Amino acid sequence: DTGVSQNPRHKITKRGQNVTFRCDPISEHNRLYWYRQTLGQGPEFLTYFQNEAQLEKSRLLSDRFSAERPKGSFSTLEIQRTEQGDSAMYLCASSFTGGTLYGYTFGSGTRLTVV
Amino acid sequence: AQTVTQSQPEMSVQEAETVTLSCTYDTSESDYYLFWYKQPPSRQMILVIRQEAYKQQNATENRFSVNFQKAAKSFSLKISDSQLGDAAMYFCAYRPHQGGSEKLVFGKGTKLTVNP
């Protein structure tokens, strides 16, 4: 297993378009997390899944954002009607239950630029 | 709400010397976890060191150690014998022990430069 994989690495989109990112976690990990990191800031929590269940959502996750994890494997994060403020690095991480105690395994992120 | 503050946006150190990165946090919880993560340029974030708040002893991992001052809500990272590969953004993070939330709260980060 090569770690957490995120695709695409970079995405440039026009304002108002929809975008979807994919995250493939480490196969044995049952928890998957999404974070957003804007320039000069630390990562901000968006949501997390245990298997296929979405257990927590941040208030940052507006109605334009939706995340899924069908069958508890890969996850997708969709942003509808993108805005310039959505430009950021979107980080995915995975872990076993209780993984925050030992650290998540992060992916390299998807950098979104909204023009 | 819990907050994490890293007051040093940038730090630099000479190779082989020691540097300390500062972190303070605000919480009303008594039991929690603190972390330091490293994010090299264009690479994924990795865990450097972890501290459980109920433990008095400061955590150490090879050249990395922390100075955990619970009463002062301070959690600094010391890097000894700095190496060029230590150059990265360093993020301090907090998570409560109870409450079921898996959310890590990160500071804004400190950019560490290591000079040869």
Side-chain angles (χ1 to χ4, degrees), chain A residues 11-63:
Chain A
K11 178 72 176 178
I12 300 174
T13 191
K14 291 184 178 180
R15 189 175 53 185
Q17 297 293 305
N18 299 344
V19 294
T20 301
F21 312 138
R22 177 177 170 125
C23 172
D24 288 273
I26 291 175
S27 56
E28 299 87 1
H29 287 176
N30 62 340
R31 289 192 168 176
L32 185 148
Y33 313 82
W34 285 100
Y35 281 76
R36 182 176 71 183
Q37 186 177 17
T38 53
L39 204 60
Q41 303 292 322
E44 296 173 292
F45 173 81
L46 292 178
T47 188
Y48 95 94
F49 294 83
Q50 177 158 313
N51 300 314
E52 66 276 8
Q54 188 173 19
L55 296 187
E56 188 174 355
K57 292 168 60 174
S58 164
R59 59 179 172 79
L60 294 175
L61 215 65
S62 74
D63 291 345

Side-chain angles (χ1 to χ4, degrees), chain A residues 37-93:
Chain A
Q37 186 177 17
T38 53
L39 204 60
Q41 303 292 322
E44 296 173 292
F45 173 81
L46 292 178
T47 188
Y48 95 94
F49 294 83
Q50 177 158 313
N51 300 314
E52 66 276 8
Q54 188 173 19
L55 296 187
E56 188 174 355
K57 292 168 60 174
S58 164
R59 59 179 172 79
L60 294 175
L61 215 65
S62 74
D63 291 345
R64 296 185 298 107
F65 288 71
S66 63
E68 294 183 341
R69 193 184 181 197
K71 302 179 183 178
S73 55
F74 69 92
S75 176
T76 58
L77 178 67
E78 181 184 16
I79 309 174
Q80 296 181 327
R81 304 181 303 282
T82 52
E83 303 172 355
Q84 287 191 322
D86 297 331
S87 295
M89 176 76 82
Y90 289 84
L91 298 171
C92 176

